[in-house]
Amino acid sequence: MFLSRLRLPSSEIQSTLTCNGQSAMSGGCGRNPPPFPDNEDQEAELDTQVLDSDDDDDEGEDIFTGARSKPITPTSAPDEGDIFSEEGSYVRSDVHHATNGLHSDEELDLFTEATVELTLTNTTSQGRREIIGPTASACNTTRVPNSILKPSIVTKTMEELEEEESGDQFELNIAVTNPEKIGDGMNAYMSYKVSTQTTLPMFLNKTFSVRRRFSDFLGLYEKISAKHSLLGCIIPPPPQKSVVGMTKVKVGKEDSSSAEFVEKRRAALERYLQRVVAHPSLLQDPDVREFLERDELPRAVNTQALSGPGLLKMINRASDAVNKMTIKMNESDNWFESKLQEVENEEQLLRRLHAAVDSLVNHRKELCSNTVVFSKSVAMLGSVEENSALSRALSQLAEVEDKMEQLHQQQAFSDFFILAELLADYVRLLGAVRCCFEQRMKVWQRLQEAQSTLQKKREAEAKLLWANKPEKLQQAKDDINEWESKVSQYERDFERVTCTVRKEMLRFEKEKARDFKQHIVKYLESLLHTQHRLVKCWEAFLPEAKAIA
Amino acid sequence: VQFGAFQHSCSNKIYLLLVRSVSVDLNNDASLVIDIPDALCERDKVKFTVHTKTTLSSFQKPEFSVPRQHEEFIWLHDTIVETEEYAGLIIPPAPPKPDFEGPREKMHKLGEGESSMTKEEYAKMKQELEAEYLAVFKKTVQVHEVFLQRFSSHPIFRKDRNFQIFLEYDQDLSVRRKNAKEMFGGFFKNMVKSADEVLISGVKEVDEFFEQEKTFLLDYSSKIKDATAKAEKMTRSHKNVADDYNHISGALNSTAADNNTAFKKHLEKYAEVFEKLRKLEDRVASDQELKLTELLRYYTRDIQAAKDLLYRRARALADNENSNKALDKARLKGKDIAQAEENQKQCLQKFDKLSESGKKELTSFKARRVVAFRKNLIEMTELEIKHAKVRRLKCCVYHYMFTRQCSGSHGKPGNLREF
């Protein structure tokens, strides 16, 4: 359907295919300059590279490459890597549209959607947040692997670990909603409703909700971190504190930037909790359960350390430490080393992406304000215009541009909440991953130290034997026993941490791929909505433009 | 349709494939048809190929082409402006100088960074550069073409000898650079112009038609200038958004070469999505510019030309009044009466002629403006619809591709039915 060659009636166009043969560019263009052709009766057959305006050829291939290259039969095992070939992939032929042929006159519309309409009806707009934000129904299916229930220290193979991942599924949905300002002045705070809906038996009810404030979330992080990070788990970092943002809210500024801040925080808290409960070990933690269930929570103190910059510092220190230690570790396989490198590279990439998306958000906001200003200007022009049909059309155009502004606004919202926040979250998550690797380093270091202490004790014993001091010998033997059992313990710890970190990375990578895909899909949906509304707006305007006389 | 393409080399030669003009229907008289089928850009100079087809006997051949540079168009404009006979006509506004500053900068960057870029990056940047050049080309060819077509479609201008020379003379017109005196003269002319503005608002108008025109043109002129500026800002923002998509796509593609993770493959696929979004956003921006912003720009200039006509008429009116006063004075003094009478007669004649032809011109100007707005607004709307549909389709397809395997997750193919 997407043509790869374009034939145009020669009376319309005279063509000159040229290239400067003496190109000194490395690589050159490789084509010889043809002479100016006799234009009139030649059909200009143009190479598609040359055509730029509609750019359809590569698009055709691109879009359907994925479709075409996949086999018709369902693929076998779920492949972690390929997003296009999970279970049961097949090619749907109704996506292909019949070629429409060329229009003879001006608009050589090579896109068949001009006449082949996808029947698109308006979605019931459910309000911004629900379209783009994670909703309660965006189920966060948590999988509770059976392995958690039976402790096992043996290192598992990657396959076994994968199998455990796709274990039994239970449902747990979390939503953070209804931000409410409690109190006044500088002691005021925002309270959020945390609602849970679950079929898990460990909870008292199936649906319940509590109110929590921001410091409660930080307190939860602290508790989780204290317990689980030593085991090598990746602990999701909490949303960042913001003095500026909160002060505005406290002071009572009822403007859009405060509302935006509150919405940003609400969404961030929701994502944070969803990540926490998506983690099988954390879900089992009684502190997490208490957070979700208990009506009144004792106030968390000393959360300053967990403010944005504090946390960041901690993470950065971790990475420095890890960098120093990596060289010393003698790995049996360099899985950890290369994984860490990957993580660091990825973090850089995501930072870069985040900056680009940030710029997108800002420029789109600028587009909004420029559109509004333009709309007013067009309205003024229309009011001055003496031809009444043109005047009416211009004021209609002003209205269309107004609607455009709203659409751009919504799109900026999506750009931010779907893309920018995702990237920001993952930059911090990757920091947490590095912490996790550092943890393993620490455990290893402790083992090394214990081993070297044991060695020293043994040497001490040998010395005593030689010096023949039997009364101190017993002490030495006791020491050795103590350190032998310590070494043994630390070896087991190290094994366990190694295993956990591996498992965590696997789980994390799967989550990340799924997360990104879900968000891109959501983003595409938001674009779809916007474009659909755009089409409707302009289609409504077209008769007005045609009515000018 | 419009399309174009070109290659560039380090000697900065750029060839353009044309661009069918999207102007007002000024070519509907087959006796004299003018178009600019292609143009060549070499360093700072643009050479337009002016192609004429005619059945008029005043021309030597029925069909011919000449190369013309921008300066020669300006020469034609200035010659016409200075022709006293045409004082009662709206002189088509001179086309603005082709501005390749933006793409030229980019080409420079491309040349410098060639060694540090991968083959793909280089090819991509080259493609973007070509698109930018194309956009500037479209604009400048359009505006130069319309300029000529205004002359060819006007019953009086089309007979102008200088116009015919411009079309036909196959040698260089040897347009000499304006010397200092002329340039200064131009500056002086502008000062006089603003004096005219005072004049035009100050003069006592007897004719209702011109009174209304004056009010309308002065008001419209400021509003359309404003709308043009705002449209330019809006188009600029669209381009910035397209640029951002470009950076996003570039970043997604920039994962380390030795990274073979599955995630990288995902990212590359997402990069594709953003690349498509960029192209579409770019096209929206340039089509909007070509149809809307350029329309507003053009009519800002045309309104100025109409105002110029009013100024000339106002001056003639002032001259007329002065000549009346001079005649009265001469009669009182009894000296030089015949001369004063002659002068008064000429001033009156000139003023009447200007008024008569001015009225015709301004009336046809209204019609022309309405037609142009209609055509461009329709075309712009149709393009907006087309681009939005394309984007919608592509989002649909990508959405489908990314979700078709999921039965349990959020993005069901079924979601598409909601649309």
Side-chain angles (χ1 to χ4, degrees):
Chain A
M1 60 159 284
F2 292 94
L3 306 177
S4 61
R5 285 212 156 275
L6 178 66
R7 290 178 155 272
L8 293 157
S10 62
S11 56
E12 305 286 319
I13 291 103
Q14 293 147 4
S15 59
T16 315
L17 259 182
T18 65
C19 160
N20 190 331
Q22 315 145 292
S23 164
M25 274 194 322
S26 63
C29 65
R31 283 194 267 168
N32 290 322
F36 274 68
D38 293 330
N39 355 58
E40 294 316 275
D41 301 313
Q42 239 178 34
E43 279 225 341
E45 180 157 358
L46 302 161
D47 195 85
T48 44
Q49 291 176 287
V50 151
L51 284 176
D52 192 59
S53 71
D54 282 317
D55 189 32
D56 29 56
D57 62 326
D58 64 316
E59 288 162 337
E61 298 211 329
D62 262 343
I63 291 174
F64 296 106
T65 315
R68 275 191 238 128
S69 68
K70 287 296 157 283
I72 306 292
T73 54
T75 53
S76 42
D79 183 342
E80 181 199 345
D82 192 339
I83 54 173
F84 300 122
S85 68
E86 290 184 22
E87 307 97 319
S89 72
Y90 59 95
V91 177
R92 286 238 317 238
S93 58
D94 54 332
V95 178
H96 295 264
H97 301 292
T99 308
N100 197 35
L102 296 174
H103 296 188
S104 54
D105 62 329
E106 289 117 287
E107 286 298 331
L108 281 173
D109 191 345
L110 300 171
F111 292 104
T112 59
E113 64 278 356
T115 54
V116 178
E117 299 275 6
L118 293 170
T119 30
L120 305 178
T121 59
N122 246 326
T123 58
T124 52
S125 55
Q126 302 161 327
R128 261 185 220 172
R129 214 212 286 160
E130 282 163 79
I131 292 173
I132 60 95
T135 60
S137 66
C139 51
N140 204 325
T141 53
T142 56
R143 293 156 185 196
V144 187
N146 293 323
S147 65
I148 289 295
L149 307 173
K150 36 181 206 277
S152 138
I153 315 168
V154 174
T155 316
K156 296 184 197 242
T157 62
M158 290 303 253
E159 280 133 28
E160 286 175 42
L161 290 173
E162 269 193 59
E163 271 171 34
E164 280 172 358
E165 277 305 300
S166 47
D168 310 344
Q169 297 187 29
F170 292 93
E171 282 239 349
L172 181 94
N173 301 334
I174 295 202
V176 174
T177 56
N178 301 73
E180 241 176 63
K181 184 170 163 199
I182 311 282
D184 252 323
M186 288 314 285
N187 289 325
Y189 64 92
M190 291 303 287
S191 143
Y192 302 88
K193 179 172 165 193
V194 177
S195 317
T196 315
Q197 187 195 36
T198 177
T199 57
L200 288 170
M202 63 174 141
F203 290 97
L204 300 169
N205 299 309
K206 289 231 164 22
T207 51
F208 48 92
S209 70
V210 293
R211 291 210 79 95
R212 295 283 179 256
R213 57 185 289 184
F214 185 67
S215 53
D216 293 334
F217 289 80
L218 294 183
L220 176 66
Y221 172 78
E222 200 175 41
K223 289 186 194 145
I224 293 176
S225 186
K227 278 189 266 178
H228 294 264
S229 61
L230 298 170
L231 304 173
C233 287
I234 299 173
I235 316 286
Q240 291 176 311
K241 263 195 175 185
S242 162
V243 176
V244 172
M246 256 335 267
T247 311
K248 267 199 222 162
V249 173
K250 287 181 187 178
V251 158
K253 267 187 114 191
E254 289 283 330
D255 65 355
S256 61
S257 69
S258 308
E260 223 180 272
F261 171 79
V262 171
E263 173 56 27
K264 184 175 165 184
R265 173 160 283 188
R266 180 211 64 79
L269 291 173
E270 194 174 77
R271 290 193 308 271
Y272 167 64
L273 280 183
Q274 285 169 341
R275 291 207 174 94
V276 167
V277 298
H279 193 300
S281 339
L282 297 183
L283 181 59
Q284 297 293 315
D285 189 315
D287 280 324
V288 170
R289 247 179 291 148
E290 184 183 67
F291 182 90
L292 293 175
E293 268 187 327
R294 187 165 156 181
D295 279 328
E296 291 283 329
L297 219 53
R299 260 209 72 185
V301 292
N302 291 336
T303 54
Q304 275 82 350
L306 300 169
S307 68
L311 188 63
L312 206 60
K313 248 188 262 168
M314 212 161 74
I315 290 173
N316 286 334
R317 267 188 295 120
S319 92
D320 292 333
V322 163
N323 283 334
K324 284 190 212 127
M325 284 197 255
T326 323
I327 320 165
K328 296 190 200 134
M329 263 186 94
N330 181 14
E331 299 273 15
S332 50
D333 71 284
N334 65 349
W335 186 89
F336 284 91
E337 200 177 312
S338 59
K339 215 22 119 170
L340 187 60
Q341 189 58 52
E342 247 175 57
V343 165
E344 284 172 355
N345 291 342
E346 205 164 85
E347 197 178 321
Q348 288 313 310
L349 171 67
L350 292 187
R351 279 183 200 280
R352 194 176 141 190
L353 266 173
H354 183 254
V357 173
D358 223 11
S359 174
L360 174 69
V361 172
N362 288 333
H363 281 141
R364 219 188 281 276
K365 288 190 176 158
E366 245 176 54
L367 177 62
C368 279
S369 54
N370 287 340
T371 306
V372 141
V373 160
F374 174 68
S375 159
K376 291 204 177 89
S377 185
V378 168
M380 291 291 282
L381 189 65
S383 68
V384 170
E385 175 59 59
E386 13 168 54
N387 178 300
S388 53
L390 180 54
S391 170
R392 192 168 43 242
L394 286 173
S395 42
Q396 290 287 58
L397 180 64
E399 275 181 36
V400 169
E401 293 293 344
D402 250 340
K403 292 199 196 116
M404 289 296 118
E405 189 262 339
Q406 283 174 24
L407 291 178
H408 292 317
Q409 187 80 274
Q410 280 190 8
Q411 193 56 55
F413 200 80
S414 299
D415 291 341
F416 179 75
F417 279 97
I418 301 179
L419 294 181
E421 289 284 77
L422 170 78
L423 293 166
D425 280 355
Y426 270 90
V427 167
R428 298 212 319 283
L429 271 166
L430 287 174
V433 170
R434 279 191 284 129
C435 278
C436 167
F437 276 74
E438 188 219 28
Q439 211 38 59
R440 179 173 168 271
M441 294 288 178
K442 280 200 184 127
V443 174
W444 180 81
Q445 197 172 45
R446 192 177 58 174
L447 172 62
Q448 292 300 103
E449 283 164 9
Q451 280 173 337
S452 100
T453 310
L454 177 61
Q455 183 63 20
K456 287 200 189 97
K457 298 291 180 192
R458 287 199 170 125
E459 285 168 3
E461 187 204 29
K463 271 200 202 127
L464 288 175
L465 276 171
W466 189 82
N468 202 11
K469 293 206 177 121
E471 66 284 2
K472 290 204 180 133
L473 208 57
Q474 188 53 43
Q475 179 64 42
K477 278 204 193 304
D478 285 342
D479 278 350
I480 290 174
N481 283 334
E482 182 194 337
W483 281 97
E484 270 178 353
S485 74
K486 274 196 184 160
V487 164
S488 198
Q489 176 65 43
Y490 294 163
E491 265 170 4
R492 283 199 300 274
D493 284 347
F494 182 68
E495 292 284 311
R496 191 177 10 218
V497 165
T498 301
C499 171
T500 306
V501 170
R502 276 192 126 107
K503 209 160 49 151
E504 284 286 281
M505 274 312 292
L506 199 72
R507 191 189 60 85
F508 175 74
E509 281 175 343
K510 247 196 167 150
E511 277 300 313
K512 183 179 64 178
R514 198 182 313 148
D515 232 348
F516 269 72
K517 182 147 65 109
Q518 267 182 7
H519 278 77
I520 294 285
V521 164
K522 263 195 219 132
Y523 188 67
L524 286 170
E525 277 172 17
S526 80
L527 281 171
L528 259 169
H529 276 281
T530 312
Q531 297 314 306
H532 188 63
R533 301 259 296 278
L534 252 168
V535 168
K536 292 284 167 244
C537 268
W538 286 111
E539 278 180 344
F541 176 69
L542 190 58
E544 284 292 336
K546 290 189 168 160
I548 300 172
Chain B
V1 75
Q2 300 158 22
F3 67 91
F6 56 94
Q7 290 276 347
H8 102 279
S9 73
C10 65
S11 73
N12 297 356
K13 271 200 220 272
I14 301 203
Y15 295 75
L16 174 77
L17 275 186
L18 189 86
V19 186
R20 200 181 71 109
S21 97
V22 190
S23 54
V24 185
D25 294 326
L26 292 174
N27 253 350
N28 39 24
D29 181 355
S31 62
L32 180 61
V33 175
I34 304 182
D35 68 323
I36 300 184
D38 59 73
L40 176 81
C41 174
E42 208 171 349
R43 288 200 190 276
D44 283 353
K45 300 212 179 299
V46 182
K47 286 208 179 98
F48 301 93
T49 302
V50 178
H51 168 251
T52 312
K53 256 207 238 180
T54 178
T55 58
L56 298 175
S57 52
S58 49
F59 290 94
Q60 292 176 7
K61 289 187 266 190
E63 187 171 356
F64 47 90
S65 289
V66 296
R68 288 284 174 247
Q69 291 188 28
H70 171 73
E71 287 73 23
E72 293 168 295
F73 286 77
I74 301 302
W75 166 83
L76 177 62
H77 174 260
D78 289 347
T79 312
I80 302 272
V81 163
E82 284 157 15
T83 309
E84 190 60 36
E85 271 174 63
Y86 300 145
L89 306 177
I90 297 180
I91 317 287
K97 199 168 152 108
D99 177 19
F100 287 97
E101 200 47 51
R104 211 198 312 271
E105 238 181 82
K106 209 165 182 174
M107 175 149 80
H108 190 63
K109 261 193 239 166
L110 189 72
E112 287 194 332
E114 197 179 325
S115 47
S116 59
M117 287 192 238
T118 68
K119 217 170 77 162
E120 290 83 19
E121 281 175 354
Y122 185 79
K124 184 161 175 266
M125 200 167 169
K126 182 155 163 281
Q127 211 186 50
E128 284 162 31
L129 182 63
E130 288 173 358
E132 268 190 54
Y133 259 105
L134 186 66
V136 176
F137 250 125
K138 280 186 190 178
K139 272 194 302 189
T140 195
V141 166
Q142 177 174 281
V143 81
H144 283 78
E145 197 181 66
V146 167
F147 173 70
L148 294 178
Q149 287 169 344
R150 283 283 297 275
F151 287 118
S152 65
S153 59
H154 193 286
I156 299 176
F157 284 133
R158 69 191 345 225
K159 301 200 193 106
D160 181 83
R161 188 68 203 123
N162 286 314
F163 179 54
Q164 294 192 350
I165 292 174
F166 179 93
L167 292 176
E168 224 178 8
Y169 187 61
D170 57 3
Q171 307 289 316
D172 193 346
L173 282 173
S174 290
V175 172
R176 47 198 175 84
R177 290 184 180 284
K178 287 192 163 171
N179 59 28
K181 183 161 164 230
E182 284 175 333
M183 278 173 48
F184 189 68
F187 168 70
F188 201 64
K189 248 197 273 181
N190 281 331
M191 284 191 61
V192 174
K193 233 192 216 163
S194 34
D196 280 342
E197 260 175 351
V198 174
L199 186 70
I200 199 180
S201 33
V203 87
K204 184 162 161 283
E205 187 53 70
V206 292
D207 190 331
E208 183 61 35
F209 174 82
F210 284 99
E211 181 61 38
Q212 280 184 350
E213 279 304 299
K214 182 172 77 176
T215 316
F216 169 70
L217 285 179
L218 285 176
D219 204 359
Y220 197 85
S221 166
S222 67
K223 300 258 163 31
I224 198 170
K225 239 186 252 179
D226 185 62
T228 306
K230 306 284 161 64
E232 283 172 346
K233 276 184 96 169
M234 193 172 71
T235 308
R236 176 87 245 137
S237 287
H238 267 296
K239 293 209 169 116
N240 286 339
V241 169
D243 263 342
D244 288 325
Y245 276 138
N246 197 20
H247 294 143
I248 292 173
S249 168
L252 284 167
N253 267 328
S254 72
T255 47
D258 57 355
N259 180 346
N260 283 321
T261 59
F263 192 56
K264 175 180 176 179
K265 293 200 186 77
H266 291 205
L267 293 181
E268 285 173 351
K269 215 60 189 173
Y270 303 150
E272 214 180 275
V273 174
F274 281 101
E275 177 56 26
K276 293 282 186 285
L277 289 176
R278 176 194 77 78
K279 283 203 181 117
L280 286 166
E281 196 73 43
D282 233 348
R283 219 162 286 142
V284 166
S286 38
D287 282 344
Q288 189 184 80
E289 176 163 37
L290 199 63
K291 300 293 169 193
L292 186 62
T293 315
E294 278 292 297
L295 173 75
L296 293 172
R297 279 189 196 123
Y298 185 78
Y299 275 96
T300 307
R301 291 194 291 268
D302 219 9
I303 291 278
Q304 187 58 46
K307 268 164 63 180
D308 287 345
L309 170 59
L310 282 187
Y311 299 153
R312 292 195 288 269
R313 182 180 164 277
R315 254 188 283 141
L317 179 60
D319 287 346
N320 190 31
E321 304 213 323
N322 290 339
S323 75
N324 281 337
K325 287 194 196 129
L327 180 60
D328 287 345
K329 215 160 108 179
R331 282 191 178 139
L332 264 174
K333 283 200 182 153
K335 243 172 54 167
D336 296 322
I337 295 179
Q339 193 184 24
E341 277 180 345
E342 185 55 38
N343 189 24
Q344 193 264 3
K345 194 168 97 177
Q346 281 188 355
C347 282
L348 185 61
Q349 259 182 2
K350 179 172 174 196
F351 174 69
D352 281 342
K353 181 171 167 218
L354 281 187
S355 296
E356 189 192 321
S357 102
K359 204 175 259 189
K360 263 197 281 193
E361 285 281 293
L362 288 168
T363 310
S364 69
F365 170 68
K366 281 184 218 290
R368 195 174 63 235
R369 183 179 78 245
V370 171
V371 169
F373 267 76
R374 177 177 191 278
K375 179 163 179 156
N376 277 319
L377 285 178
I378 291 175
E379 284 175 356
M380 177 189 77
T381 306
E382 287 173 344
L383 282 169
E384 289 271 359
I385 293 174
K386 171 180 150 182
H387 291 316
K389 282 182 174 173
V390 169
R391 235 191 317 216
R392 186 176 65 180
L393 176 68
K394 292 219 195 302
C395 288
C396 248
V397 172
Y398 276 114
H399 184 278
Y400 169 71
M401 273 170 94
F402 291 156
T403 62
R404 72 186 161 172
Q405 65 282 24
C406 309
S407 42
S409 79
H410 175 77
K412 294 201 272 274
N415 268 349
L416 287 185
R417 284 187 212 106
E418 286 171 18
F419 295 102

